[in-house]
Amino acid sequence: EVRLLRRQTKTTLEVSLLEKYPCSKFIIAIGNNAVAFLSSFIMNSGVWEEAGCAKLWNEWCRTVDTTHLSPTEAFCVFYHLKSNPSVVLCQCSCYVAEDQQYQWLEKVFGSCPRKNMQVTILTCRHVTDYKTSESTSSLHTPFLKALKTQNFREPPCCSLLEQPNIVHDLPAAVLSYCQVWKISAILYLCYTDVMKLDLITVEAFKPVLSSRSLKSLVKNIPQSTEILKKLMTTNEIQSNIYT
Amino acid sequence: YDRAITVFSPDGHLFQVEYAQEAVQKGSTVVGIRGTDIVVLGVEKKSVAKLQDERTVRKICALDDHVCMAFAGLTADARVVISRARVECQSHKLTVEDPVTVEYITRFIATLKQKYTQSNGRRPFGISALIAGFDDDGIPRLYQTDPSGTYHAWKANAIGRSAKTVQEFLEKNYTEDAIANDSEAIKLAIRALLEVVQSGGKNIELAIIRRNQPLKMFSAKEIELQVNETGKEKEEAEKKKSKKTA
């Protein structure tokens, strides 16, 4: 069961999120590396107001207080830019199970979504899932691949995902939904060999900053790199495994 | 070939051992320098959480009065190896009435590590160690072991994160002059560490071992002093350089 809550009142949203906050740009980060990327490079460039959060009934998603979120926690929060409320961001670092994906889509996009918005999805996958006829020693992980819907006209920021590779989980659900509803959407998938929060993986998303939807949202790259480093070190200090 | 440690891959790799060496890269940098009358071990202190007692996070430990070691990698594995090595040092003293030679204890640790690369169900130790000390003949020794169970003697080496950078620095700067006396060797260790340690002296821990003397850990003040001196010398050297070119 998926419920969307408004933060301020903690009540359930009666309509779908994008009906309540219609947007022209919807950027979704799924997974802790993608979330860290948006937190450091996009969210520091303006004032983002929380539009709501999703509560999922499954053992992996425990949405706690959403004021100080670290990318290692499991949450699904939506933000919109105060200066331009038609830009909506979703930070989703929790697992959305298969039987919850349709509900999530309905609660977020609604049953009849607007067609004139552009959706950008960022996510990661382990490189062992990547099928290629090339030798694996020639792959330089992490690397970026893109998959887009028919209505997406811009050139992508990296090469397209080749067959027979497929996309899984929530990113696949969102992309399929957009394809069916003829929404312009693109998924940037980062294949990496480190599945936990990792600096090099997060930085592999950088080419996406030159895309049309994100270009206007990027303000201060050196500051973003600092913020990212801080996120990483706070994460590392907690771990006492390596000395 | 990933799963069971005892399986070779078709091209002759033992992947678990190679992955264990990756675990070593996750530990903070350790540098060891063998001088003429001194062996210096310098480590980059791991940043500790606010409420954590700093003294319980130690990378440099004494194995016996005349041998010490510093490690990089999995903390828990290091603890086990160190305690076995310490027991072996005393057992050797009791059995043959002589303290261990640095080479003996290094060989013991390396053999222990190698055993864990060959038994089924056990994974290799994820640490590399720099073992330093003096033998009865008064010659300083520095050895390095790695997860595969090999050991080699070194004049100077570095392990852990950014070890390559430090190794390159040492290759360029380890000269007879650089280790002419004890304080020069200490300064070389500090300069090597400063190549990779951010935020300078307060993140460095230093220890020295001298002939017939036990391991000496430097206090924070002493380290600061050394770092400042090194900084001053660097500035003067740069001034001289710019004067020459001007």
Side-chain angles (χ1 to χ4, degrees):
Chain A
E1 205 222 55
V2 183
R3 283 186 304 144
L4 273 189
L5 302 174
R6 259 187 294 235
R7 189 196 168 214
Q8 288 80 8
T9 52
K10 294 270 185 218
T11 53
T12 331
L13 270 173
E14 314 83 25
V15 293
S16 73
L17 187 90
L18 293 186
E19 276 176 53
K20 187 154 174 74
Y21 301 101
C23 74
S24 58
K25 279 192 206 171
F26 189 23
I27 307 163
I28 313 175
I30 303 174
N32 51 7
N33 283 303
V35 165
F37 176 74
L38 283 190
S39 297
S40 328
F41 287 87
I42 305 291
M43 290 190 73
N44 75 325
S45 61
V47 180
W48 293 84
E49 207 176 48
E50 191 182 314
C53 68
K55 261 193 144 67
L56 281 82
W57 190 81
N58 76 40
E59 50 273 27
W60 295 282
C61 183
R62 292 174 288 277
T63 321
V64 291
D65 174 36
T66 47
T67 34
H68 294 291
L69 292 169
S70 95
T72 45
E73 290 171 37
F75 53 85
C76 181
V77 188
F78 299 87
Y79 302 90
H80 61 167
L81 192 58
K82 220 171 181 177
S83 54
N84 181 3
S86 72
V87 180
V88 178
L89 200 80
C90 169
Q91 299 273 59
C92 180
S93 73
C94 64
Y95 178 67
V96 182
E98 288 86 4
D99 54 341
Q100 296 171 326
Q101 283 161 15
Y102 185 69
Q103 272 198 45
W104 190 95
L105 288 169
E106 259 204 338
K107 298 267 161 84
V108 174
F109 284 90
S111 39
C112 193
R114 278 172 64 183
K115 296 200 189 358
N116 52 346
M117 66 170 152
Q118 198 177 67
V119 180
T120 312
I121 312 159
L122 303 174
T123 189
C124 282
R125 193 81 191 163
H126 202 276
V127 71
T128 44
D129 273 351
Y130 185 63
K131 300 173 182 54
T132 173
S133 52
E134 283 174 35
S135 138
T136 43
S137 53
S138 64
L139 284 176
H140 298 291
T141 47
F143 57 90
L144 218 56
K145 287 287 172 192
L147 196 60
K148 58 190 178 71
T149 59
Q150 211 165 14
N151 286 53
F152 188 85
R153 301 286 174 214
E154 263 175 65
C157 303
C158 61
S159 53
L160 290 177
L161 186 65
E162 311 88 348
Q163 290 204 1
N165 291 294
I166 60 172
V167 183
H168 304 256
D169 303 325
L170 189 62
V174 176
L175 209 60
S176 312
Y177 191 86
C178 293
Q179 171 71 358
V180 164
W181 288 101
K182 299 192 172 38
I183 301 172
S184 158
I186 183 161
L187 161 69
Y188 287 105
L189 178 54
C190 178
Y191 280 103
T192 172
D193 49 2
V194 180
M195 272 329 272
K196 46 188 271 287
L197 196 57
D198 169 61
L199 185 68
I200 302 182
T201 307
V202 176
E203 293 197 324
F205 279 111
K206 270 185 171 161
V208 181
L209 294 175
S210 57
S211 73
R212 205 176 56 140
S213 29
L214 293 184
K215 217 192 299 211
S216 49
L217 298 172
V218 183
K219 295 278 160 56
N220 191 341
I221 294 197
Q223 194 190 48
S224 307
T225 338
E226 280 308 305
I227 298 179
L228 182 60
K229 276 211 186 116
K230 244 191 191 171
L231 270 176
M232 295 293 157
T233 36
T234 30
N235 190 40
E236 265 177 34
I237 292 180
Q238 313 295 353
S239 152
N240 276 312
I241 303 182
Y242 303 99
T243 303
Chain B
Y1 324 111
D2 260 49
R3 309 278 168 104
I5 164 67
T6 48
V7 178
F8 277 101
S9 74
D11 52 353
H13 287 274
L14 278 176
F15 281 118
Q16 282 301 301
V17 175
E18 293 181 17
Y19 298 160
Q21 281 165 338
E22 289 298 311
V24 172
Q25 302 295 332
K26 287 178 129 70
S28 54
T29 323
V30 178
V31 81
I33 296 186
R34 188 183 82 194
T36 23
D37 301 309
I38 189 176
V39 190
V40 187
L41 286 175
V43 304
E44 175 188 355
K45 265 203 287 215
K46 179 180 184 277
S47 31
V48 294
K50 247 195 196 169
L51 297 174
Q52 201 170 26
D53 191 341
E54 254 197 9
R55 293 169 310 152
T56 52
V57 185
R58 279 258 176 271
K59 277 169 77 85
I60 308 179
C61 338
L63 297 179
D64 201 347
D65 294 328
H66 61 297
V67 191
C68 61
M69 91 171 218
F71 69 91
L74 288 161
T75 329
D77 285 7
R79 196 184 61 231
V80 168
V81 168
I82 290 171
S83 84
R84 295 253 192 112
R86 283 174 172 166
V87 167
E88 178 62 22
C89 284
Q90 300 313 310
S91 155
H92 185 276
K93 242 194 244 184
L94 286 170
T95 325
V96 301
E97 294 194 354
D98 275 331
V100 293
T101 58
V102 185
E103 202 260 340
Y104 175 91
I105 195 65
T106 309
R107 198 164 3 109
F108 172 81
I109 292 176
T111 317
L112 174 67
K113 286 187 182 178
Q114 192 279 342
K115 267 195 232 176
Y116 280 64
T117 69
Q118 231 176 356
S119 322
N120 50 342
R122 302 206 264 192
R123 61 161 178 80
F125 284 102
I127 64 163
S128 275
L130 284 180
I131 300 156
F134 282 81
D135 286 338
D136 264 347
D137 54 10
I139 301 182
R141 307 237 187 244
L142 178 68
Y143 286 92
Q144 186 223 345
T145 62
D146 64 18
S148 61
T150 57
Y151 70 95
H152 301 276
W154 289 79
K155 293 183 191 157
N157 199 7
I159 53 177
R161 202 181 327 177
S162 329
K164 277 228 164 79
T165 320
V166 183
Q167 278 164 353
E168 283 169 11
F169 176 87
L170 288 172
E171 280 179 11
K172 279 194 211 137
N173 293 282
Y174 185 90
T175 57
E176 286 309 312
D177 289 335
I179 52 154
N181 59 43
D182 294 354
S183 60
E184 287 303 310
I186 296 172
K187 289 208 190 96
L188 180 62
I190 292 184
R191 276 163 49 212
L193 268 181
L194 287 176
E195 290 282 307
V196 295
V197 170
Q198 299 124 343
S199 60
K202 46 185 169 70
N203 280 6
I204 292 182
E205 215 164 60
L206 209 66
I208 57 168
I209 189 159
R210 286 201 170 101
R211 200 171 290 122
N212 299 325
Q213 284 179 36
L215 177 71
K216 175 178 187 292
M217 301 281 308
F218 275 37
S219 69
K221 272 206 182 134
E222 290 170 320
I223 296 178
E224 218 190 300
L225 217 75
Q226 292 284 349
V227 170
N228 289 340
E229 269 190 49
T230 322
K232 270 191 223 154
E233 286 182 7
K234 203 178 176 187
E235 274 179 39
E236 287 178 11
E238 283 179 6
K239 270 190 204 159
K240 277 194 192 156
K241 249 195 198 170
S242 53
K243 268 192 190 164
K244 271 192 184 167
T245 51

